[in-house]
Amino acid sequence: MMSTQPQKRVIPEPPSKLKTYFTFFIILLLIFGSAIQTNTSITELIAGFPNMMDLLVQMVPPNWSYFGKIVPAMLETIRMALLGTTFGAIIAIPIALFSASNIVKNTWVFYPVRFILNLIRTIPDLLLAAIFVSIFGLGPLPGILALTIFSIGLVAKLTYEAIEAIDPGPMEAMTSVGANKIQWIFFGVIPQVLPHYISYVLYTFEVNIRAAAVLGLVGAGGIGLYYDRTLGFFEYDKTSSIIIFTLVVVLIIDFISTKLREKLI
Amino acid sequence: MSNTTRPLIKPKKNKTRIWLIYITLALIYIWAFSGMPLPDVKETAAQVSKAIFSGIFSPDWDYVYLPDGEDLLRGLLDTLAIAILGTFISAFLCVPFSFLAASNMSKGRSLSNTGKFILSLIRTFPEIVMAIMFIKAVGPGSFAGVLALGLHSIGMLGKLFTEEIESVDPGPAEALTATGANRLQIIWFAILPQVLPGFLSYTLYRFEINVRSASILGVIGAGGIGTLLIFALSSRDWERVGIILLGIIVMVTFIDLLSGYIRKKIV
């Protein structure tokens, strides 16, 4: 049958490119608008470039003797990150349990909790620290509080997603032998989630070390205070030694934490 | 015959190792707590936090739009503009880096390892410090923030792009090589169509992060809403702090939703 009719060759029309062009137009519009809004000027960048090169040149031989002076501040930074992560991780446990849809089956509970969690995660840590500084005054305490709140958001979100992905088998078995909710969580949920949870806490600690290193810029303790101090006095060689010290500490902690996390999972 | 009631033997745990971990943890925490000075909370703390809370619940709505000068909407617009331009610059600049760092694109391991090293170096450099350096170069303002975000984002975007390039299907590239295409044609017709959706999705993801970063940058004078927040905090105008926080929350949530929706459509 098919061969009786002469086949007509139909070249399919290429799909319309209108959408692509439209998208490009919008992106271009956004970029131009942003450039105007931010007073972007290439000439200014080129004019300022020697300044920056000058700054970099002044930074080059780092002031090695400055390391001794900033060790206490560095230790304070690590302490802040450690305490902030710990408090945040502890508070995150009940929040994660309440926002997991396979633990709390009531929609009216887990959606509001998740909503609050999302709200917490929208505020950047440095702004939180700035607010806490104006409440509690200068020092490491506002820094720890800001990191705590930031850690709650991160750990709780990652953990509740891990809880929702667990195997329901053990819990069904426990329900069938008459376990109550607490037993159910202790023996069914926690053993499955614990490695993930510890891994997320370690990851949060890595993030918090980086965050804690700059919190001092708003007066919340730690090494960040020295950025302000050295840059204010134009002592760029000291600034570069702070940067190098921070990088080394961050890399060491990242390395240890990554090794531990690889062992966990 | 078979002994069915044989008690289960508990798996042996390495007790000493577990104790060692506990003791190490305890020592770390003793060190951490002992080094902390006892928090001397200001007497005004309760008062101030109450003021901020009431400021959040009864925001200074007049501040949303002021006909002259700095208001909330202009601050948010500034922040968005910094994030958009910074993301665009970094997405543009990191493409050559990521092709250099991808092990299936550049010849020789040393070249791709060098590219990866450069990217991780940029990634570990704190963006706030980068912003401070750009402020020295171009003066305080949004432009310094744009440059800082543009440079810092290269680190993370470059890494994600590199991973995307490394995971492409080599088939189309091989087919093009067989027909005698040159290197540029291979990249343009075989690699780019495969990686473009991933690139766009990662760029949007980085944009979400950059919106948050851009709202911080003002703290050190690099433009955006952060500057206004610092002004409001230092002048103890808690109602204004409330409306600024509310504005940041609404903007970030909206951007996250929008970007998440577009990303779902792309991939």
Side-chain angles (χ1 to χ4, degrees):
Chain A
M1 279 336 132
M2 271 165 54
S3 54
T4 54
Q5 280 173 344
Q7 276 215 336
K8 214 175 145 196
R9 284 184 65 182
V10 179
I11 299 170
E13 270 192 31
S16 162
K17 290 234 171 118
L18 195 69
K19 206 173 151 193
T20 320
Y21 291 142
F22 190 64
T23 316
F24 264 102
F25 178 70
I26 294 222
I27 291 176
L28 274 184
L29 206 69
L30 277 176
I31 289 164
F32 272 104
S34 313
I36 292 166
Q37 177 73 24
T38 55
N39 297 322
T40 299
S41 72
I42 303 296
T43 48
E44 204 174 308
L45 178 63
I46 293 167
F49 203 67
N51 276 347
M52 220 174 111
M53 279 297 124
D54 200 35
L55 185 84
L56 284 178
V57 167
Q58 285 186 46
M59 284 174 101
V60 160
N63 190 340
W64 300 109
S65 60
Y66 199 55
F67 278 100
K69 266 194 169 171
I70 50 180
V71 165
M74 197 69 222
L75 292 181
E76 189 179 69
T77 307
I78 299 174
R79 281 194 189 108
M80 278 163 55
L82 190 67
L83 293 180
T85 313
T86 311
F87 293 141
I90 293 169
I91 302 170
I93 296 172
I95 297 179
L97 287 174
F98 273 113
S99 44
S101 60
N102 54 347
I103 306 270
V104 180
K105 301 240 161 55
N106 190 342
T107 332
W108 289 99
V109 177
F110 70 80
Y111 272 122
V113 175
R114 276 187 208 180
F115 181 69
I116 293 169
L117 207 57
N118 280 335
L119 286 192
I120 289 176
R121 286 189 306 120
T122 55
I123 304 177
D125 41 11
L126 206 63
L127 293 189
L128 276 179
I131 292 167
F132 283 129
V133 165
S134 64
I135 296 179
F136 296 105
L138 301 174
L141 179 69
I144 293 173
L145 283 178
L147 291 178
T148 303
I149 292 191
F150 177 74
S151 312
I152 292 174
L154 195 55
V155 175
K157 169 150 204 292
L158 292 170
T159 309
Y160 97 70
E161 280 168 0
I163 292 176
E164 288 193 337
I166 59 176
D167 176 17
M171 273 99 81
E172 278 164 18
M174 288 179 67
T175 315
S176 67
V177 296
N180 66 25
K181 198 88 182 174
I182 303 288
Q183 287 171 325
W184 198 77
I185 289 173
F186 255 89
F187 298 103
V189 178
I190 289 182
Q192 289 193 61
V193 176
L194 196 62
H196 293 277
Y197 172 74
I198 296 175
S199 159
Y200 296 145
V201 172
L202 282 172
Y203 168 70
T204 309
F205 180 58
E206 287 174 38
V207 177
N208 277 350
I209 281 278
R210 285 158 206 258
V214 294
L215 284 184
L217 282 173
V218 293
I223 195 124
L225 187 66
Y226 288 83
Y227 282 121
D228 231 16
R229 207 171 277 173
T230 53
L231 284 169
F233 289 122
F234 305 106
E235 298 167 322
Y236 299 122
D237 52 338
K238 290 183 178 175
T239 314
S240 65
S241 50
I242 299 173
I243 293 174
I244 291 172
F245 195 22
T246 315
L247 285 188
V248 169
V249 170
V250 164
L251 288 180
I252 290 173
I253 286 178
D254 273 12
F255 178 76
I256 297 172
S257 162
T258 312
K259 280 274 167 282
L260 285 177
R261 284 199 283 146
E262 270 169 15
K263 282 209 167 175
L264 275 169
I265 297 183
Chain B
M1 277 297 279
S2 61
N3 190 3
T4 47
T5 54
R6 185 166 53 98
L8 272 174
I9 300 166
K10 268 197 173 177
K12 247 192 168 177
K13 279 183 187 168
N14 195 344
K15 278 259 172 78
T16 44
R17 223 181 105 193
I18 290 174
W19 275 108
L20 212 64
I21 292 174
Y22 281 147
I23 290 171
T24 320
L25 270 180
L27 283 178
I28 289 175
Y29 278 109
I30 288 170
W31 169 76
F33 275 105
S34 65
M36 276 292 137
L38 273 179
D40 47 336
V41 180
K42 286 198 292 187
E43 305 92 75
T44 51
Q47 213 180 323
V48 171
S49 36
K50 216 172 117 190
I52 289 184
F53 255 98
S54 66
I56 290 174
F57 290 112
S58 64
D60 179 6
W61 291 114
D62 298 335
Y63 188 60
V64 173
Y65 180 77
L66 297 173
D68 53 328
E70 312 216 296
D71 56 11
L72 180 70
L73 281 181
R74 265 168 249 190
L76 290 179
L77 200 66
D78 214 23
T79 308
L80 265 184
I82 294 174
I84 290 174
L85 209 56
T87 312
F88 175 73
I89 291 174
S90 65
F92 201 72
L93 287 181
C94 81
V95 171
F97 274 107
S98 52
F99 272 96
L100 183 77
S103 56
N104 55 347
M105 285 294 119
S106 60
K107 282 176 188 146
R109 274 186 80 84
S110 57
L111 208 59
S112 85
N113 281 343
T114 314
K116 281 189 177 126
F117 179 72
I118 294 174
L119 286 177
S120 69
L121 206 65
I122 297 176
R123 214 165 43 237
T124 43
F125 204 88
E127 63 194 326
I128 289 276
V129 178
M130 227 173 243
I132 293 176
M133 289 167 65
F134 277 114
I135 285 177
K136 295 273 172 193
V138 297
S142 312
F143 188 40
V146 169
L147 292 174
L149 280 188
L151 193 58
H152 181 77
S153 311
I154 292 176
M156 185 189 130
L157 268 187
K159 178 172 187 268
L160 293 172
F161 279 22
T162 305
E163 280 162 7
E164 185 75 20
I165 295 171
E166 281 177 349
S167 68
V168 295
D169 175 14
E174 278 165 16
L176 278 184
T177 316
T179 57
N182 65 27
R183 232 179 137 64
L184 209 65
Q185 285 171 322
I186 292 174
I187 288 178
W188 189 255
F189 291 108
I191 310 293
L192 266 190
Q194 288 189 61
V195 295
L196 211 56
F199 278 16
L200 284 177
S201 167
Y202 287 136
T203 307
L204 278 172
Y205 173 58
R206 183 66 217 190
F207 174 61
E208 290 174 32
I209 299 176
N210 276 352
V211 171
R212 290 179 167 82
S213 304
S215 54
I216 295 178
L217 287 175
V219 170
I220 51 152
I225 191 82
T227 319
L228 300 180
L229 184 72
I230 289 294
F231 285 161
L233 279 174
S234 55
S235 62
R236 316 202 144 258
D237 192 345
W238 306 123
E239 286 177 4
R240 195 160 277 191
V241 173
I243 186 77
I244 292 175
L245 276 182
L246 217 60
I248 294 175
I249 290 174
V250 168
M251 177 181 70
V252 172
T253 312
F254 178 70
I255 295 285
D256 279 7
L257 286 178
L258 188 71
S259 153
Y261 173 75
I262 299 176
R263 280 200 283 148
K264 236 179 228 166
K265 280 211 144 185
I266 289 174
V267 179

